[in-house]
Amino acid sequence: MLRTLDTHREFEALARSFLAQHPTIRHEWRQVRNAWGGRTDLICEPGTANEAFASLTSWQITVGARGSNTDFEDFGRNLSDEQIAREAFGQFLKLLSESGIVSGGHDA
């Protein structure tokens, strides 16, 4: 398995499993380094109008498409990392569906 700089392991596991089951989805894993460490980005259909992304750190997941994004983190909600990952991955699947990348009805 590819070792990533910083990631949300639970989300990454869900995404890798999903993408293995949907090999026709063009995607890239990118490591983004900065002064604070970095993050792992997943970009589906990169460079197209249907591009959707997930930006992962161990403490936050951001998913977005078409100039809009949503952050998912605990911040006092008393959620496990797995619960946060499932919530964010559900939104990611919704974005993929809205972009026409996948048909609806996929489970996180």
Side-chain angles (χ1 to χ4, degrees), residues 6-25:
D6 189 13
T7 191
H8 195 282
R9 295 197 186 283
E10 290 80 2
F11 184 97
E12 186 175 343
L14 290 171
R16 287 189 183 278
S17 175
F18 176 79
L19 292 167
Q21 295 171 23
H22 298 85
T24 59
I25 298 174

Side-chain angles (χ1 to χ4, degrees), residues 58-80:
S58 57
W59 55 274
Q60 183 179 41
I61 304 166
T62 302
V63 297
R66 297 172 303 284
S68 177
N69 62 67
T70 305
D71 294 332
F72 296 87
E73 65 274 307
D74 181 19
F75 287 135
R77 298 190 304 153
N78 293 323
L79 298 176
S80 69

Side-chain angles (χ1 to χ4, degrees), residues 17-76:
S17 175
F18 176 79
L19 292 167
Q21 295 171 23
H22 298 85
T24 59
I25 298 174
R26 288 184 330 111
H27 66 280
E28 298 176 3
W29 291 95
R30 298 180 186 165
Q31 293 182 350
V32 180
R33 298 177 189 278
N34 58 37
W36 303 274
R39 66 179 192 272
T40 300
D41 289 348
L42 167 60
I43 300 96
C44 291
E45 298 300 326
T48 70
N50 293 333
E51 183 175 288
F53 71 89
S55 191
L56 313 174
T57 65
S58 57
W59 55 274
Q60 183 179 41
I61 304 166
T62 302
V63 297
R66 297 172 303 284
S68 177
N69 62 67
T70 305
D71 294 332
F72 296 87
E73 65 274 307
D74 181 19
F75 287 135

